[in-house]
Structures are given as structure tokens and as C-alpha cells.
Amino acid sequence: MFVADIAGVRVLHTGDYSRKEDCHLCAAEIPQFSPDICIIESTYGVQLHQPRNVREKRFTNVIHSTISQGGRVLIPAFALGRAQELLLILDEYWSNHPELHNIPIYYASPLAKRCMAVYQTYINSMNERIRNQYF
């Protein structure tokens, strides 16, 4: 989120935010003021989602099952941050499943690579887990 003061008018732009911490980002904080104008991204604003652990388990189960049957998995992830989130989920899953340690994970996204540089620059905006891994 960021605030711009334009001729005394406070504009708050939220971007795509969540009030829940994810694999790499902290939960969004509620500003301590009332903006004059608020611009909110609301792609999933009216959606009810299953709990994160249920979604992640379904995701990793499908991948594990496919690999166990000799298949390969291709995941198109175009949103900034989504690729990093999925890679962190897979990294944790792989580390907890030794039978997958010899299966490589590749990502082929110049945009995701550039996004990693942004995350490294703003490491203090990441959650504690990521900050501890980085330092």
C-alpha cells in the first residue's frame, strides 16, 4: 500500500493485498488514518476461499501424484509474487519429502527472476521466515 498527498488530498492505493501472511509477505497493515480517496484492487474481493492449508495440500498432492506416476508438471504463473509463492510452497514440500529430493524444480520466467531482485531489495517487507533465510 502507498499513500500520495496531492494538494492536501490523501490517496491510498492498496494494490493486491491480503490481511493474512503468506509464504513470503507480511500481512497488510491497516493505515492509521482515513484517506480521502481509496483505490483498492479487488480481483477476489467477493470470493470465499478454502483455507490456505487445504489449498496448498491439494496443490502439492496433485503434483506429488503426477510425479509418482512418471509425469511432469508445468505451472503457468504470470502474476508477480505468485511464482515466488508457489516456489516457496514447493521448496518446503520437497524438503519434507525425501523421495522428491532427486526431482528438480525449474522455473523459466525472466519476470520472476527480476521480481526476486525486488524482494531482495525490500527484504524487510518480507515475513520473518524469509528474513531469517536471507540473513
Side-chain angles (χ1 to χ4, degrees):
M1 292 187 203
F2 69 90
V3 178
D5 190 306
I6 304 167
V9 177
R10 287 188 297 191
V11 179
L12 173 66
H13 184 276
T14 68
D16 184 10
Y17 77 97
S18 175
R19 291 284 300 134
K20 296 181 180 179
E21 186 172 294
D22 63 21
C23 288
H24 61 306
L25 296 175
C26 298
E29 296 178 9
I30 297 174
Q32 300 300 313
F33 67 91
S34 295
D36 299 303
I37 298 172
C38 189
I39 303 169
I40 301 172
E41 184 174 330
S42 61
T43 305
Y44 296 106
V46 296
Q47 299 293 320
L48 293 176
H49 296 290
Q50 292 179 320
R52 173 179 293 283
N53 62 330
V54 172
R55 289 179 285 147
E56 287 182 10
K57 183 164 181 51
R58 187 177 62 208
F59 173 68
T60 54
N61 283 348
V62 167
I63 291 173
H64 198 149
S65 173
T66 302
I67 290 170
S68 296
Q69 296 173 43
R72 293 187 171 100
V73 179
L74 177 63
I75 305 168
F78 301 105
L80 286 177
R82 186 65 59 215
Q84 287 72 22
E85 178 85 3
L86 295 176
L87 286 168
L88 288 165
I89 291 167
L90 291 174
D91 183 58
E92 182 176 346
Y93 188 81
W94 251 241
S95 67
N96 293 326
H97 292 83
E99 69 275 16
L100 297 174
H101 289 180
N102 65 330
I103 307 292
I105 298 173
Y106 300 104
Y107 76 97
S109 169
L111 183 58
K113 286 181 183 178
R114 287 194 305 261
C115 192
M116 291 303 287
V118 172
Y119 285 142
Q120 290 170 346
T121 301
Y122 296 99
I123 192 68
N124 289 328
S125 296
M126 302 298 116
N127 65 25
E128 185 176 347
R129 173 185 167 211
I130 298 300
R131 286 193 309 268
N132 288 339
Q133 285 179 350
Y134 186 74
F135 291 116

